[in-house]
Amino acid sequence: MMQLPAQAAQPQAMTTTTAGPAITVPTPSATTGQWIPGGFPDTPEGALGQLKALDETVTASADPQVYAHGFRELAEPGAPNPGTTGWASLLTSLRSRAQLPVTGPVAGLSARYQVTHGQIKGATSQGRYVVVCVLGQFSAGINGRLVSAGVGDCQAMRWNGTRWQIASGALPATAPSAWPGSADAVKAGYRELREG
């Protein structure tokens, strides 16, 4: 998978070129009474929608422990350790650099991850096992200081007959992180996502 320099994730100009047509991602059909929205169909686009829902939900606290809890909730037995993911590294680094507690709620800390782009890297087992990647803008702030960056995440997902789960086995290659809509994002193959 293509790797980009660190500066590619920083805010930058948008481009009018694309990596291909937009991908229509289904909306979740199961949202009531669930922490992480679910109910996505058994299609590669459904897997992409499930990863989008996971990442947007579990990064809202900018807490590596909350991220790990959500990751495990969606993972099948034998899935990678969430502590080895790019998100765990990013959230741990963010808190360390801001001199915040390693985990737990922090007064005034706000975070948001909004996925706008993605890609389907590949599928096997008649589309029941897919590697999908999302890309979005992650913003975190405390005491008037705000940082934003483009963050990518790739996961192997497996359809278990009723829902998408993070698949057992090794983590896929690290996702390229780029500012959404930038030339670097296009170069990495990210396409715009549309809900439908």
Side-chain angles (χ1 to χ4, degrees):
M1 196 166 303
M2 171 182 281
Q3 292 305 301
L4 297 169
Q7 64 265 28
Q10 298 306 307
Q12 56 186 281
M14 308 288 272
T15 181
T16 57
T17 60
T18 67
I23 301 171
T24 300
V25 177
T27 56
S29 64
T31 55
T32 306
Q34 293 191 57
W35 176 41
I36 302 167
F40 293 93
D42 61 343
T43 63
E45 293 81 7
L48 193 55
Q50 185 63 79
L51 181 59
K52 176 182 183 292
L54 170 68
D55 284 355
E56 288 181 339
T57 302
V58 299
T59 57
S61 63
D63 186 334
Q65 188 172 23
V66 172
Y67 170 77
H69 174 73
F71 185 98
R72 286 188 186 103
E73 191 172 294
L74 201 66
E76 67 181 12
N81 178 343
T84 63
T85 65
W87 269 118
S89 176
L90 177 85
L91 297 175
T92 300
S93 173
L94 174 79
R95 283 182 168 238
S96 174
R97 293 173 83 178
Q99 300 180 335
L100 300 174
V102 175
T103 189
V106 175
L109 176 63
S110 64
R112 181 172 186 231
Y113 182 55
Q114 182 178 8
V115 172
T116 56
H117 292 75
Q119 57 183 300
I120 299 165
K121 294 298 291 181
T124 62
S125 301
Q126 298 175 333
R128 299 303 191 250
Y129 178 93
V130 298
V131 175
V132 291
C133 304
V134 293
L135 176 69
Q137 181 181 331
F138 179 69
S139 299
I142 188 165
N143 300 328
R145 293 180 302 174
L146 180 71
V147 294
S148 293
V151 178
D153 181 36
C154 293
Q155 295 297 334
M157 308 287 286
R158 190 185 324 272
W159 179 255
N160 73 358
T162 57
R163 69 179 184 137
W164 286 104
Q165 291 185 286
I166 296 168
S168 58
L171 279 171
T174 302
S177 288
W179 189 253
S182 68
D184 285 323
V186 170
K187 189 187 329 178
Y190 288 110
R191 294 158 55 185
E192 183 183 353
L193 299 184
R194 292 188 184 148
E195 290 192 5

